[in-house]
Amino acid sequence: MDARTAALEIMNAAIESADPYAAVRRSLRVAGDRLMVSGKELPLSGRVYLLAFGKAACAMARAAAEILGERIEEGVIVTKYGYAEECPKTERLRVIEAGHPVPDENSLLGGRFGLELAEKVGENDVLLVLISGGGSSLFLLPERGISLDDKIRTNELLLRSGARIYEINTVRKHISAVKGGKLAKRVRETVVSLILSDVVGDPLEAIASGPTVKDPTTFKDAHRILRLYGVWDKLPESVRRHVELGLEGKVEETLKEDLPNVHNFVVGSNTLACESALAKAKELGYNPLLLTTTLEGEAREIALAIGSIVQEIARYDRPVPRPAVLIAGGEWTVTIEGEAGLGGPNQEFTLSIARKIAGLDAVVLAVDTDGTDGPTDAAGGIVDGRTLGLLEKMGVDVEEALRRHDAYRALEKAGALLKTGPTGTNVNSLIIAVVPKGL
């Protein structure tokens, strides 16, 4: 098998392992008047209300609907535009497609309907919440006095600042009426959350900004992050004012204690995807090395580091001998100042690493497991030792493309874009590097 085919097969195995439908099916079942969730028994004598939001909401909801059947009284599903095809088809479940990564009016609608649903949960009822990546933008309800436009502007500033997703969600939680455990606060009966993690290290409070989880961050943390990344002075006045009121203790903080009626379970993550990639690489006859599942940082800088390891393997058979596969998972970022071209973190990574592996017998791909890297139709990119030379022959200045954050157009010219279409899951990003044995 050639290196490119092997890289794609390993990638597919990783994405399939994070299938949200399968994750819910293996984690949830009903036994009489008991709800069994990841080995824990909970009473189920009343109705079930279903609230699902995120890029994997439909697949997760479809599995839950098959398991719970007529027990579901009513539900709301909020997912990204183009992702609703997998949703269960029943009049009891309202499906809303909304904006991501930038929220829109439908995101606001999803937040309102979701909160209304949560407030219907009565005695002995259960609110089943299915959470996946993208939930912070798709399930939206700003605090009083903050408009949707102000929330969108704040979101755009944070996404362009280079802040990590954990830091972005810290701010989101403190200007939201449903994040940071505030949704759970509105429910007195049982809440069960099944969570597909898209945050490095799986901190529950950060995934979709933790609507059902206690939050260790404060308004002081949100204020520090906004200043650290140079966003504070650019914020809409309503957002600055709300954070200032929070610092003064005049508006509600996020949830700070565990609620006995709330139960949260992680059912899928980047770790599982990377371990599946490792197993597939072994199956294909490679010597695999899982570097980390918690990789973070600037995409082009990470590319130089990973590229150096690929060089070491190709030249000296270390730290793992050829035929070798390197695997890494996490979430990398791109800091944008001023105008930018088209691309995403995984595309910027692959364009950058093409410089480092030039002339080597190696293939490297980087993919966002949800199938969408940045605001593009590509999931990432796949390059080899010939990519840089090919681009130079075509007159593409790679350094200039990186400076302008225009990786999409450069990779497109080289036939190096990786397009998977919507995968139905979202567990961060993956890097897979294949270094064959050679002659």
Side-chain angles (χ1 to χ4, degrees):
M1 180 181 295
D2 68 89
R4 180 186 177 91
T5 301
L8 292 171
E9 286 209 13
I10 294 166
M11 177 197 76
N12 288 333
I15 292 173
E16 287 169 10
S17 74
D19 178 76
Y21 173 85
V24 173
R25 292 289 306 189
R26 65 174 173 259
S27 304
L28 184 70
R29 66 185 180 89
V30 176
D33 62 351
R34 310 295 291 176
L35 188 64
M36 315 293 288
V37 190
S38 295
K40 184 169 186 174
E41 290 190 25
L42 298 168
L44 181 61
S45 57
R47 300 163 295 182
V48 176
Y49 291 86
L50 176 65
L51 174 59
F53 49 87
K55 297 176 191 174
C58 287
M60 295 178 82
R62 183 161 51 86
E66 290 175 4
I67 295 164
L68 295 165
E70 296 298 315
R71 292 176 183 267
I72 297 177
E73 179 74 13
E74 187 180 347
V76 174
I77 303 170
V78 190
T79 194
K80 184 175 178 175
Y81 289 112
Y83 281 53
E85 188 173 328
E86 282 196 77
C87 279
K89 306 298 188 290
T90 168
E91 292 181 358
R92 295 184 183 185
L93 301 176
R94 183 197 301 261
V95 179
I96 300 168
E97 290 185 288
H100 180 277
V102 179
D104 61 8
E105 289 285 351
N106 277 3
S107 306
L108 187 61
L109 198 62
R112 287 173 177 165
F113 285 149
L115 189 57
E116 288 174 6
L117 182 79
E119 292 174 340
K120 292 179 180 180
V121 177
E123 188 176 357
N124 298 322
D125 293 342
V126 173
L127 176 65
L128 178 61
V129 188
L130 307 176
I131 300 172
S132 55
S136 290
S137 296
L138 296 166
F139 184 68
L140 177 77
L141 192 62
E143 285 283 15
R144 185 175 301 175
I146 299 175
S147 69
L148 175 61
D149 285 343
D150 289 348
K151 178 84 172 183
I152 290 173
R153 175 60 179 159
T154 302
N155 195 55
E156 288 175 337
L157 288 168
L158 288 166
L159 288 171
R160 293 170 65 93
S161 72
R164 294 175 300 164
I165 187 63
Y166 186 92
E167 294 169 318
I168 292 173
N169 284 352
T170 294
V171 176
R172 285 167 165 168
K173 285 181 284 191
H174 285 88
I175 59 175
S176 170
V178 291
K179 310 292 174 56
K182 293 177 187 175
L183 176 68
K185 280 186 177 183
R186 309 294 281 266
V187 184
R188 297 296 173 221
E189 295 300 314
T190 301
V191 177
V192 174
S193 291
L194 302 185
I195 303 167
L196 192 71
S197 173
D198 71 329
V199 180
V200 173
D202 306 332
L204 295 182
E205 70 276 5
I207 303 166
S209 302
T212 62
V213 182
K214 71 175 181 180
D215 176 36
T217 70
T218 64
F219 275 104
K220 185 176 179 180
D221 294 318
H223 181 253
R224 175 184 56 79
I225 289 164
L226 290 165
R227 286 200 172 277
L228 176 65
Y229 289 98
V231 173
W232 178 257
D233 292 333
K234 303 173 186 176
L235 289 173
E237 175 59 30
S238 65
V239 174
R240 274 205 311 272
R241 181 58 182 152
H242 185 79
V243 174
E244 288 169 346
L245 289 172
L247 292 171
E248 296 168 8
K250 294 180 180 179
V251 294
E252 179 188 23
E253 251 292 2
T254 49
L255 178 67
K256 298 305 177 193
E257 70 278 356
D258 287 313
L259 299 178
N261 62 308
V262 179
H263 311 274
N264 294 289
F265 304 88
V266 174
V267 297
S269 68
N270 186 263
T271 298
L272 177 60
C274 286
E275 289 172 351
S276 297
L278 190 73
K280 186 64 177 180
K282 287 180 181 178
E283 178 189 319
L284 295 177
Y286 286 87
N287 301 311
L289 177 62
L290 175 51
L291 292 172
T292 179
T293 61
T294 58
L295 187 59
E296 295 180 282
E298 196 72 17
R300 70 177 67 180
E301 300 303 326
I302 289 174
L304 296 179
I306 298 293
S308 295
I309 302 174
V310 173
Q311 282 185 343
E312 194 76 9
I313 293 170
R315 292 172 179 170
Y316 305 112
D317 281 318
R318 62 189 186 201
V320 61
R322 295 171 295 166
V325 170
L326 291 181
I327 300 161
E331 189 80 6
W332 21 102
T333 54
V334 174
T335 302
I336 297 174
E337 296 177 0
E339 293 299 315
L342 187 62
N346 290 284
Q347 293 163 59
E348 186 144 322
F349 170 92
T350 47
L351 185 61
S352 180
I353 204 170
R355 303 174 298 172
K356 196 71 173 174
I357 67 170
L360 299 179
D361 185 9
V363 172
V364 182
L365 68 79
V367 61
D368 194 322
T369 54
D370 71 350
T372 305
D373 183 40
T376 76
D377 61 352
I382 180 167
V383 296
D384 59 30
R386 299 167 297 177
T387 303
L388 181 66
L390 176 62
L391 287 169
E392 289 174 345
K393 285 182 180 179
M394 299 173 73
V396 176
D397 186 334
V398 171
E399 298 299 330
E400 177 64 11
L402 287 168
R403 188 189 68 77
R404 292 186 290 108
H405 306 292
D406 199 23
Y408 183 99
R409 294 183 179 90
L411 293 172
E412 185 177 38
K413 287 183 178 180
L417 286 174
L418 188 55
K419 296 185 179 182
T420 63
T423 64
T425 191
N426 185 24
V427 289
N428 297 126
S429 293
L430 293 170
I431 295 166
I432 298 167
V434 178
V435 188
K437 185 67 175 175
L439 300 176

